[in-house]
């Protein structure tokens, strides 16, 4: 994925910041809008280079639709994750089998990797420890049998990725790649 | 044994001082109305300054000298740190690059932190906050960059020039007041021009408070970033 032009990056940063300003002020007063536009322009001019690589391409309707669809999907996963942890805490036998596993991701962009790492941390008993290239090192609260009994590393990675990164990747690949 | 004796003496002294302060404060009635000047501020703040936030009106308008003094203190602190650490060749010596989660997160967060800082100082006359919290928030964005990247440095030239210019801007705003209204830091936008009289509580009101808070916000932001920059650099031997 090649980098977008500076103009496209600047425009994208400005749009994002201006939308955030609208949420900050929660008002459509023309004075607020004017000042918001000025401030967003200034901040975008200072930071557009670090903020984004893909620029306006991020606003492609398909990406936005997937991003919006991802919110309830992710929230549901998060609720289930917390119930799962509550179950493990309250269960008399305390069913935990912790371990660190390695996963591979198909995502290439930095932002996509960040989103995946955070999604993993916030959902079922998994915490991202480190990201190195396309490898994720993840602490799992309950390492399932097929990962535990894997003979080879490739098999181990395959099973772990199937359980941890795949469910998010189908969304994140569209949103960030 | 000496340390036990020392500690015991310190505790006894602190208890005596604490009791003494409590005795002094016991004479002050709690929860009763004892506003003398305060009531004047609350009654007149809107029509005299156009600000809804009484604290900022007092800090910038009624007692603008104090704020000018505070800005000067901060400027001296920043210059002092720079002067103490000046002369030797210094550079960033951080060795470990953060993980991709940290660096990318910082890239994404920094613009929002800056925008929020700007939001705080521009709304100083309407909401809690003002130039100092806004400026500190902006400096946090630069602190984030320093923490996440091993080689990041603020653009020094631009920062030092901006810092000086906005510092002068504050004094110039005050001097214009002196020329128009007869005393330093006279609020000419509100008192003489009457600008914003019809929309108190909206953004473009509050006399020169938003102007001065923008100046202070930028000044504090650049100054604290400069201090961070100075503190984080280590001496390198040739």
């Amino acid at each position: 994925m090649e980098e977008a032009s500076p103009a496209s990056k600047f425009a994208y940063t400005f749009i994002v910041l201006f939308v955030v300003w609208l949420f900050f002020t929660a008002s459509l007063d023309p004075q607020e809008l004017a000042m918001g536009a000025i401030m967003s322009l200034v901040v975008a001019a200072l930071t557009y280079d670090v903020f984004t690589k893909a620029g306006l391409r991020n606003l492609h309707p398909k990406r936005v639709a997937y991003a919006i669809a991802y919110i309830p999907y992710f929230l549901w996963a998060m609720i289930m994750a917390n119930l799962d942890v509550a179950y493990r805490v309250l269960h008399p036998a305390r069913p935990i089998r912790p371990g660190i596993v390695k996963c591979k991701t198909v995502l290439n962009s930095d932002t996509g990797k960040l989103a995946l790492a955070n999604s993993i941390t916030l959902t079922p008993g998994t915490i991202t420890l480190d990201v190195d290239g396309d490898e994720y090192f993840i602490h799992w609260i309950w390492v399932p049998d097929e990962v535990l009994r894997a003979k080879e590393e490739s098999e181990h990675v395959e099973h772990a990725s199937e359980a941890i990164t795949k469910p998010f990747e189908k969304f994140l690949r569209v949103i960030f790649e | 044994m000496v340390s036990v004796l020392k500690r015991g003496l310190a505790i006894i002294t602190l208890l005596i001082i604490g009791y003494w302060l409590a005795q002094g404060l016991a004479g002050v009635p709690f929860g009763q109305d004892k506003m003398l000047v305060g009531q004047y501020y609350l009654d007149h703040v809107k029509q005299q300054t156009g600000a809804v936030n009484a604290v900022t009106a007092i800090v910038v308008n009624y007692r603008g000298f104090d704020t000018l003094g505070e800005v000067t203190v901060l400027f001296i602190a920043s210059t002092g740190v720079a002067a103490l650490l000046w002369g030797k060749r210094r550079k960033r010596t951080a060795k470990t690059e953060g993980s991709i989660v940290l660096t990318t997160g910082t890239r994404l967060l920094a613009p929002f932190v800056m925008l929020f800082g700007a939001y705080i100082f521009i709304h100083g006359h309407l909401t809690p906050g003002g130039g100092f919290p806004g400026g500190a928030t902006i400096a946090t964005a630069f602190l984030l960059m320093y923490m996440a990247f091993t080689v990041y440095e603020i653009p020094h030239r631009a920062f030092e020039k901006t810092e000086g210019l906005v510092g002068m801007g504050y004094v110039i705003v005050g001097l214009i007041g002196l020329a128009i209204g007869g005393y330093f830091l006279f609020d000419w936008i509100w008192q003489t021009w009457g600008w914003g009289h019809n929309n108190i509580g909206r953004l473009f009101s509050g006399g020169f408070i938003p102007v001065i808070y923008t100046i202070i916000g930028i000044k504090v932001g650049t100054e604290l970033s400069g201090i961070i920059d100075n503190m984080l650099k280590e001496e390198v031997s040739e």
Side-chain angles (χ1 to χ4, degrees):
Chain A
M1 187 183 70
E2 84 281 19
E3 215 169 296
S5 69
S8 159
K9 288 203 268 184
F10 179 80
Y12 172 67
T13 313
F14 170 75
I15 291 168
V16 171
L17 289 176
F18 191 67
V19 170
V20 170
W21 180 275
L22 292 182
F23 280 106
F24 277 165
T25 54
S27 114
L28 290 173
D29 190 330
Q31 296 179 356
E32 296 280 2
L33 295 184
M35 193 45 85
I38 295 170
M39 287 299 171
S40 306
L41 275 177
V42 173
V43 175
L46 289 171
T47 59
Y48 72 92
D49 205 31
V50 295
F51 183 62
T52 176
K53 282 209 175 78
L56 282 174
R57 246 181 305 158
N58 282 333
L59 293 178
H60 190 285
K62 196 177 166 202
R63 288 175 187 230
V64 175
Y66 266 74
I68 292 170
Y70 184 62
I71 294 170
Y73 176 82
F74 173 71
L75 282 179
W76 179 250
M78 206 160 105
I79 292 167
M80 295 319 282
N82 286 297
L83 290 177
D84 178 68
V85 172
Y87 162 78
R88 285 178 203 287
V89 170
L90 296 172
H91 196 284
R94 204 175 46 162
I96 59 170
R97 191 160 76 192
I100 296 175
V101 298
K102 188 160 97 174
C103 293
K104 268 200 176 7
T105 178
V106 297
L107 299 174
N108 289 316
S109 75
D110 286 356
T111 328
K113 285 178 184 169
L114 172 71
L116 180 57
N118 285 342
S119 302
I120 288 170
T121 298
L122 288 168
T123 50
T126 46
I127 292 175
T128 311
L129 298 177
D130 200 10
V131 182
D132 187 10
D134 64 344
E135 289 176 345
Y136 280 67
F137 296 92
I138 290 157
H139 183 274
W140 213 343
I141 202 170
W142 179 263
V143 182
D145 294 336
E146 68 266 22
V147 178
L148 209 58
R149 292 207 204 95
K151 297 272 186 310
E152 290 165 44
E153 192 183 308
S154 57
E155 195 188 342
H156 161 108
V157 169
E158 192 188 318
H159 284 305
S161 307
E162 194 69 42
I164 298 176
T165 56
K166 281 274 160 58
F168 299 118
E169 273 173 356
K170 63 184 178 204
F171 284 92
L172 296 178
R173 215 175 48 218
V174 183
I175 301 173
F176 292 109
E177 294 300 301
Chain B
M1 278 298 103
V2 179
S3 71
V4 174
L5 191 68
K6 253 188 188 168
R7 245 179 245 174
L9 274 176
I11 290 170
I12 290 167
T13 319
L14 283 177
L15 283 176
I16 291 171
I17 293 174
Y19 177 75
W20 179 54
L21 286 174
Q23 280 299 304
L25 289 173
V28 182
F30 185 74
Q32 286 173 30
D33 187 6
K34 44 185 182 302
M35 288 197 293
L36 302 169
V37 189
Q39 196 58 51
Y40 176 84
Y41 286 143
L42 289 183
D43 290 342
H44 297 87
V45 65
K46 268 195 196 172
Q47 52 163 13
Q48 284 184 344
T49 68
V52 181
N53 183 348
V55 178
T56 49
I58 292 166
V59 166
V60 176
N61 225 308
Y62 291 111
R63 301 185 169 190
F65 265 123
D66 290 0
T67 306
L68 188 58
E70 280 169 35
V71 172
T72 315
V73 166
L74 208 63
F75 174 69
I76 293 170
S78 149
T79 321
V81 169
L84 278 174
L85 300 171
W86 188 72
K88 308 213 174 63
R89 212 165 76 87
R90 298 164 56 75
K91 63 176 193 183
R92 297 286 310 278
T93 49
K95 290 290 190 298
T96 44
E97 184 79 48
S99 80
I100 194 170
V101 176
L102 176 68
T103 51
T104 314
T106 304
R107 281 169 193 277
L108 290 182
L109 210 52
F112 296 125
V113 176
M114 276 185 212
L115 186 74
F116 188 56
Y119 167 82
I120 292 176
F121 70 62
I122 205 70
H123 286 87
H125 56 299
L126 302 173
T127 58
F132 289 93
T137 309
I138 289 172
T140 315
F142 289 103
L143 178 63
L144 261 178
M145 303 272 226
Y146 269 101
M147 292 304 187
F149 303 109
T150 51
V151 289
Y152 180 78
E153 280 204 44
I154 52 170
H156 287 276
R157 246 159 217 273
F159 262 52
E160 279 150 22
K161 286 215 176 84
T162 318
E163 190 186 329
L165 282 177
V166 291
M168 273 158 61
Y170 193 171
V171 178
I172 287 169
V173 170
L175 287 176
I176 294 174
L178 182 67
I180 294 177
Y183 58 92
F184 191 61
L185 288 175
F186 173 78
D187 187 352
W188 39 282
I189 294 178
W190 180 260
Q191 305 276 8
T192 311
W193 293 5
W195 202 65
H197 269 268
N198 50 355
N199 58 0
I200 293 175
R202 288 172 71 192
L203 187 56
F204 292 169
S205 66
F208 69 5
I209 295 176
V211 177
I212 285 189
Y213 263 167
T214 305
I215 286 170
I216 294 178
I218 295 169
K219 191 163 172 59
V220 171
T222 49
E223 252 158 22
L224 293 182
S225 307
I227 292 179
I228 292 164
D229 175 77
N230 272 313
M231 297 279 207
L232 278 178
K233 281 182 179 169
E234 283 180 88
E235 220 172 287
V236 285
S237 48
E238 301 292 323

